Amino acid sequence: MVSSRFITRIRSPALPYSRYCAVYFMPLRQGTRPPLRRSLTDEYEQDTMAEKNRDNAARSASDAPPAVAHGSPTLTAVTVDASNSQMREEDGFVGDRARRAAFFQSLDRWREIAGDAAPLGETATADISKRQIDDVLMEGDPVEQAVILSAVEEYAGELATVVRRLLRTKEWRGTERIAIGGGLKAGRFAEIAIARAELIARSHDTEIELRPIRHHPDEAGLIGAVHLAPSWMFANFGEILAVDIGGTNIRAGIVRLNLDKAEDLSKAKVRTSQIWRHGDEDPKRDMAIERLAKMLKDLVGEAEEEKLSLAPFIGVGCPGVIQPDGSIAAGAQNLPGNWESSRFNLPAALWQAIPEIGGRETTVVVHNDAVVQGLSEVPLMQDVTHWGVLTIGTGLGNARFTTRARPNDERKAVRRKNGAGGD
């Protein structure tokens, strides 16, 4: 007969006794074993494991951020046709020709050619600020100005080459306008280089408009994050948290929507922000996340003290190919540590650090940093269908957009802003 020990085992609350009694309570010859004993034991263990998995899933769900789509190609105002496009050549990427370091390498070469007449004397080129370059361009002697203009011309030629190569790709074909942003844009010399690059491109029969991005580079990546927020938040909140992660700096700030001034978000403005130059410290990834979380917590505390209507939302721009689950597939090589690890998830890490804002569960949305910086230009791109952005920094970020049809009242706001009449 069946041993009492085994009967006790199969009468687990997880396995109803009646489910097995018809199988086991049958005559057995002495010395034989229940023919199904092993299979039912396995089934018991499988059911127990399934129950544990359900419990673990329930616990994990309570410890996981809300499910949202990161890096989405479809946003409220635009469709993201391409981002982080990489064009290779024999010795690297074409985009490297127009990154920030490329300009300073050119400037260094022209300073060496000028010798003792070079601008800024003994100062190493790497230590020259954009303001100093602008000062020489405006007030230096002819030779000093010539050195700056030579570097500008050389860099403009490289930028024009990158633009022309980009416009030959399938994703960028038909682009009408490109906004140029990133840290280099802050200098007047860079704006001259952008204008010169447009002229060079046009001289090669490439019809394109290049313009400096409107906002200061320290703010464009934060302001663009408002276009990642779900529209329902705008009815109840006046500010959001935004993060701009770059290869040298990490910025976090509170962005005021100012919808009472402009419904198309053209008046969105950074209210306050913090910046951390992680490139000077070479931290590990976890330390970088901890530092960013502290910056965000400080901003939340400031919003509470100021009694701001801060939305439970964090919009993040981050280099790389952002997957729908928030992981980074590639392109994060300039960030501190390994951000492309399968064991790391940026939105989950931020949500765990700040699970709620103002008593409401936090939603974190991550997109490519060039995309987010480009989104700051949305209100100014309503007169073109296909447009893009290049961000000049540690690398050369890029994104291409197609303007989507907007609600009628927002279309009216755009027409009023441009001075046109009509209903």
Side-chain angles (χ1 to χ4, degrees):
M1 61 182 298
V2 179
S3 71
S4 59
R5 178 178 61 83
F6 188 63
I7 293 175
T8 301
R9 184 177 183 183
I10 67 173
R11 292 183 65 179
S12 163
L15 300 174
Y17 175 80
S18 59
R19 179 175 173 184
Y20 301 102
C21 63
V23 176
Y24 280 100
F25 288 95
M26 60 180 65
L28 294 173
R29 294 192 300 273
Q30 188 174 2
T32 62
R33 297 175 63 187
L36 298 178
R37 177 171 179 174
R38 177 175 296 276
S39 62
L40 285 174
T41 301
D42 291 343
E43 186 175 350
Y44 166 81
E45 292 174 350
Q46 290 172 3
D47 285 355
T48 302
M49 182 62 69
E51 185 175 7
K52 288 181 179 179
N53 290 339
R54 286 193 295 272
D55 291 342
N56 290 337
R59 283 193 294 270
S60 297
S62 65
D63 294 334
V68 298
H70 303 278
S72 175
T74 304
L75 302 174
T76 302
V78 296
T79 298
V80 182
D81 305 309
S83 65
N84 206 50
S85 299
Q86 302 286 351
M87 299 175 294
R88 291 185 177 273
E89 53 186 2
E90 289 184 3
D91 55 348
F93 294 102
V94 175
D96 289 343
R97 295 185 178 192
R99 61 195 182 112
R100 181 182 182 278
F103 172 81
F104 284 94
Q105 288 167 1
S106 177
L107 177 59
D108 190 58
R109 189 170 70 84
W110 285 105
R111 290 182 76 206
E112 287 184 6
I113 293 172
D116 293 340
L120 302 170
E122 299 296 324
T123 306
T125 303
D127 296 330
I128 297 175
S129 69
K130 293 184 284 289
R131 182 183 294 276
Q132 288 175 306
I133 295 174
D134 281 347
D135 289 343
V136 172
L137 188 61
M138 299 299 293
E139 303 173 1
D141 64 41
V143 174
E144 291 177 329
Q145 291 176 329
V147 168
I148 302 299
L149 289 173
S150 296
V152 166
E153 178 72 12
E154 191 168 83
Y155 178 80
E158 296 291 0
L159 178 58
T161 298
V162 171
V163 168
R164 293 174 62 223
R165 290 280 298 273
L166 201 56
L167 293 178
R168 292 191 196 124
T169 65
K170 180 180 177 181
E171 296 84 357
W172 281 76
R173 199 170 298 141
T175 301
E176 303 161 72
R177 182 183 298 154
I178 300 176
I180 311 293
L184 193 65
K185 175 262 174 189
R188 178 67 174 174
F189 69 93
E191 294 182 347
I192 294 174
I194 292 168
R196 182 71 182 110
E198 178 182 326
L199 293 176
I200 294 173
R202 288 179 179 273
S203 73
H204 289 86
D205 298 323
T206 301
E207 290 299 318
I208 189 65
E209 179 184 347
L210 304 181
R211 65 160 59 161
I213 209 163
R214 175 180 60 158
H215 297 285
H216 190 280
D218 288 351
E219 298 187 348
L222 300 177
I223 292 173
V226 302
H227 294 275
L228 298 178
S231 56
W232 62 263
M233 283 190 176
F234 299 157
N236 301 304
F237 303 97
E239 293 84 16
I240 69 161
L241 285 176
V243 174
D244 181 15
I245 300 173
T248 303
N249 302 308
I250 292 179
R251 298 178 181 87
I254 297 175
V255 180
R256 174 160 286 170
L257 304 177
N258 285 325
L259 289 171
D260 56 330
K261 298 180 180 179
E263 294 180 350
D264 63 354
L265 294 169
S266 61
K267 298 297 184 181
K269 182 179 180 180
V270 176
R271 186 185 186 279
T272 185
S273 65
Q274 296 184 16
I275 183 171
W276 173 40
R277 191 175 173 83
H278 65 80
D280 293 337
E281 302 180 27
D282 192 26
K284 300 295 185 182
R285 183 192 66 207
D286 291 347
M287 176 189 170
I289 295 300
E290 289 176 7
R291 180 68 176 268
L292 173 56
K294 183 181 184 304
M295 293 164 68
L296 289 169
K297 289 176 181 178
D298 289 344
L299 292 168
V300 171
E302 181 178 334
E304 291 174 349
E305 290 179 6
E306 298 290 332
K307 301 189 183 305
L308 303 180
S309 54
L310 186 64
F313 175 84
I314 304 174
V316 182
C318 180
V321 179
I322 310 300
Q323 298 298 296
D325 66 351
S327 60
I328 305 173
Q333 64 274 4
N334 291 324
L335 300 182
N338 182 11
W339 292 54
E340 299 173 18
S341 169
S342 60
R343 296 186 296 275
F344 174 69
N345 187 281
L346 176 59
L350 294 180
W351 181 87
Q352 288 167 2
I354 308 175
E356 64 177 41
I357 296 173
R360 298 177 176 86
E361 186 172 30
T362 304
T363 297
V364 182
V365 177
V366 178
H367 218 305
N368 174 266
D369 60 332
V371 169
V372 179
Q373 190 165 153
L375 291 175
S376 68
E377 292 287 288
V378 163
L380 303 176
M381 296 291 184
Q382 297 307 299
D383 59 329
V384 293
T385 302
H386 304 296
W387 56 281
V389 63
L390 296 180
T391 58
I392 302 170
T394 307
L396 185 73
N398 60 81
R400 205 266 201 173
F401 306 94
T402 295
T403 301
R404 300 184 66 200
R406 308 194 64 162
N408 188 54
D409 58 343
E410 293 193 22
R411 220 176 286 125
K412 290 179 184 177
V414 171
R415 285 200 294 269
R416 286 196 298 270
K417 179 176 181 293
N418 292 333
D423 295 332

